[in-house]
Amino acid sequence: MADMSASASLAMTHLVPLAKELDEDKVTPGVLGFIVFAVMALAVWGLMKSMNRHMGRVDFPEASEERKPEPTAADSRG
C-alpha cells in the first residue's frame, strides 16, 4: 500500500510542472477530443445512411378512398 502512494506521489510531482506550463485561461479539447468527435460524427453518418436504406425498403399499404372502413364491434351491436 505504501508503495502505491509513493508512486502516485512521484507521478504528481512530475505532473505539477507540466500543469504550470499550461495557460490557465485557455482550455482546449486537444487531439483526443478531435478524434472522439470525428469517430462520433462518422458513426452518426453511417447510422443515417443505414436508416435511409431501411426506410426506403418499407412499403406502407395506402388506404384507398373507395374502400369502406372495416366494421368494429360497436357497429355490429347496432
Side-chain angles (χ1 to χ4, degrees), residues 68-77:
K68 294 182 180 178
E70 296 180 16
T72 61
D75 292 338
S76 63
R77 282 191 245 155

Side-chain angles (χ1 to χ4, degrees), residues 20-39:
K20 293 289 183 190
E21 293 176 13
L22 294 177
D23 184 10
E24 293 179 7
D25 296 330
K26 183 179 179 184
V27 178
T28 62
V31 177
L32 180 64
F34 173 75
I35 291 171
V36 169
F37 181 79
V39 167

Side-chain angles (χ1 to χ4, degrees), residues 14-62:
H14 287 294
L15 290 177
V16 169
L18 292 176
K20 293 289 183 190
E21 293 176 13
L22 294 177
D23 184 10
E24 293 179 7
D25 296 330
K26 183 179 179 184
V27 178
T28 62
V31 177
L32 180 64
F34 173 75
I35 291 171
V36 169
F37 181 79
V39 167
M40 288 175 55
L42 285 173
V44 168
W45 178 74
L47 286 171
M48 292 296 288
K49 281 189 64 114
S50 175
M51 183 189 70
N52 245 352
R53 192 171 341 131
H54 281 88
M55 290 300 288
R57 292 180 186 168
V58 174
D59 185 28
F60 293 107
E62 296 181 18

